[in-house]
Amino acid sequence: MVLLSTSAIPRRGVLTLVALLLVALNLRPALTSVAPVLGSIGEALALSPSLQGILTTLPVLFLGLAAPLAPRMVRRIGPERSVFAALLVLAVALLVRPYIGTAGLFLGTAVAGGCIGVIGVLLPGIVKRDFPRRVSIMTGLYTVALNLGASAAAGTTEPLRQLLDDAWQGAAQGPWQGALAFWLLPAVIAALFWLPQLKGTKPTRVPARRGARLRHDPLAWQVSLFMGLQSSLAYIVFGWLPTILQDRGLTAVTAGLALSVSILLQVTTAILAPWISSRMRDQRTVLIGVMTLTLTGLLSCLYAPIESIWLWIVVLGLGQGGTFSMALTLLALRAPDATTAASLSAMAQGIGYTLAALGPLLIGVLHDWSGGWNVVGFLVSAIGLTALVMALGAGRDRQVASTQGTQ
């Protein structure tokens, strides 16, 4: 999170709220739109499962790698202009990535992930500044919008590809390209609604990074590793679940719909899990509960009879909604002050997304090596069980050492 001056811009009420939610809608479609058409992309570009794994890994990796750019952009052009610039670059990346060959697809996907990483760092600070008395409500709405965007892309990209199929027959480009490029439109719309936020903005002074002490704090590492491990499972689902379900016998449309439903259900526990945990002595019970649901749902999607798949899609969605919201909640609960919360958030996000990127990549490598999905369960289990161990430490009623006054 970037700390922003409270005098940077005047509050604009409903217009700001609508603009923020439209921006939040764009924080996942670049990722979740790929999985439903990954098979078509692989066939068209002759990508091995390992290369498909790299494709699903790149945006997650650049979510973390691009995060340090956010405070630099804020110092130069201000937070609002930084969000606007990232939206424009995101739209361009989504437009061109399907049409400039294999290298362009990978490059465009990486750039899109970087743009999302920058926006993801900036938005929570803007929310805290412009809605200081409604942070919890706005964070809930922000999470809902993010999940809706992810769900919409997961559920509609393959039907859109099929809709374009007749029009593209005999053309040099395939329908998957148009289906992927479609997701530039929400970014353009969000940028247009964001334009009024630019009036009167200016560069903002951002405090120097103050997180060195946290690198020596075991609790900070437990929080960061939990963030990364649960994110790794989330991006395995985003990147590979439709392909896994197609190989198990579902149609491409049904597999994409399954991912969409799973993401949509996350809204429920994303709100409920932090609320329940706030009424307990510590967060360990809730963390173990949501991680168990996640691991059970994902392993069942791999191995349970395909006739029961919708039950496990529900379990998976409920579990992952809780793990994501609890990871965000821990960043606030484990910090004694706002400065430390910002430092812990930066540490957890940088380490977490970089670690999370390994999950989809290793899934592709294992699938390529084994020729199937059975061995993938061992990796999923290892990630989930390690996350449970980290949850036992991160969920304790403790706080990290304060970073106030450190440089």
Side-chain angles (χ1 to χ4, degrees):
M1 182 185 300
V2 177
L3 301 179
L4 304 175
S5 169
T6 56
S7 61
I9 60 169
R11 298 184 179 92
R12 296 178 175 88
V14 174
L15 182 60
T16 300
L17 171 60
V18 172
L20 281 167
L21 295 182
L22 286 173
V23 173
L25 281 170
N26 285 276
L27 297 185
R28 291 297 179 268
L31 287 68
T32 60
S33 61
V34 173
V37 295
L38 189 57
S40 298
I41 296 172
E43 290 180 9
L45 300 178
L47 300 182
S48 68
S50 293
L51 287 176
Q52 292 177 41
I54 293 174
L55 181 62
T56 61
T57 295
L58 277 177
V60 186
L61 177 62
F62 277 81
L63 281 172
L65 294 180
L69 293 176
R72 298 178 185 178
M73 293 176 66
V74 169
R75 283 194 291 267
R76 289 182 176 273
I77 61 176
E80 288 75 25
R81 294 183 186 276
S82 297
V83 171
F84 185 71
L87 282 171
L88 293 183
V89 176
L90 174 62
V92 173
L94 294 177
L95 172 63
V96 303
R97 71 170 178 171
Y99 298 112
I100 53 177
T102 301
L105 177 65
F106 281 77
L107 177 61
T109 299
V111 171
C115 293
I116 292 168
V118 168
I119 296 171
V121 171
L122 294 174
L123 279 193
I126 295 174
V127 167
K128 187 172 183 178
R129 182 201 63 199
D130 288 358
F131 301 90
R133 298 181 181 179
R134 297 179 176 86
V135 171
S136 296
I137 294 174
M138 283 298 302
T139 301
L141 292 173
Y142 168 89
T143 304
V144 169
L146 186 149
N147 283 330
L148 287 176
S151 178
T156 62
T157 302
E158 173 59 19
L160 181 59
R161 185 197 70 81
Q162 293 188 4
L163 186 64
L164 295 172
D165 192 32
D166 290 338
W168 285 109
Q169 282 185 3
Q173 306 293 343
W176 66 267
Q177 279 119 327
L180 280 188
F182 171 82
W183 296 103
L184 77 96
L185 295 178
V188 172
I189 293 170
L192 291 174
F193 273 82
W194 193 257
L195 272 174
Q197 308 299 319
L198 306 184
K199 185 178 180 181
T201 61
K202 58 184 179 180
T204 305
R205 293 188 62 187
V206 181
R209 188 176 179 183
R210 299 182 172 189
R213 185 178 298 180
L214 291 178
R215 301 191 195 103
H216 303 286
D217 192 313
L219 179 56
W221 277 100
Q222 289 164 348
V223 171
S224 298
L225 290 174
F226 178 76
M227 168 72 82
L229 291 164
Q230 67 84 26
S231 294
S232 184
L233 293 179
Y235 290 111
I236 286 172
V237 170
F238 288 165
W240 286 106
L241 184 62
T243 303
I244 292 170
L245 296 181
Q246 288 177 59
D247 286 354
R248 297 202 63 202
L250 297 188
T251 66
V253 171
T254 304
L257 179 62
L259 175 59
S260 178
V261 169
S262 179
I263 296 171
L264 194 59
L265 286 169
Q266 292 182 21
V267 173
T268 305
T269 45
I271 297 172
L272 285 178
W275 181 79
I276 293 172
S277 72
S278 69
R279 284 153 176 76
M280 294 184 169
R281 187 168 56 88
D282 60 36
Q283 288 71 49
R284 285 177 291 185
T285 300
V286 173
L287 287 169
I288 291 170
V290 293
M291 271 307 310
T292 300
L293 286 174
T294 298
L295 195 53
T296 300
L298 187 47
L299 289 175
S300 297
C301 286
L302 283 166
Y303 302 121
I306 197 64
E307 293 79 14
S308 63
I309 194 63
W310 290 104
L311 168 63
W312 305 118
I313 287 295
V314 171
V315 171
L316 177 63
L318 294 177
Q320 291 198 305
T323 57
F324 177 66
S325 62
M326 287 304 300
L328 295 178
T329 300
L330 289 175
L331 298 178
L333 294 179
R334 296 298 168 257
D337 51 71
T339 300
T340 306
S343 298
L344 181 59
S345 178
M347 176 179 172
Q349 183 164 279
I351 293 172
Y353 284 131
T354 303
L355 178 63
L358 295 175
L361 175 63
L362 291 175
I363 292 293
V365 171
L366 287 175
H367 179 54
D368 203 11
W369 170 71
S370 67
W373 299 107
N374 288 336
V375 71
V376 165
F378 292 101
L379 175 61
V380 168
S381 298
I383 295 172
L385 292 174
T386 306
L388 279 171
V389 173
M390 293 301 107
L392 291 174
R396 295 172 300 162
D397 187 16
R398 303 282 192 275
Q399 290 187 326
V400 300
S402 175
T403 62
Q404 280 193 345
T406 65
Q407 296 293 332

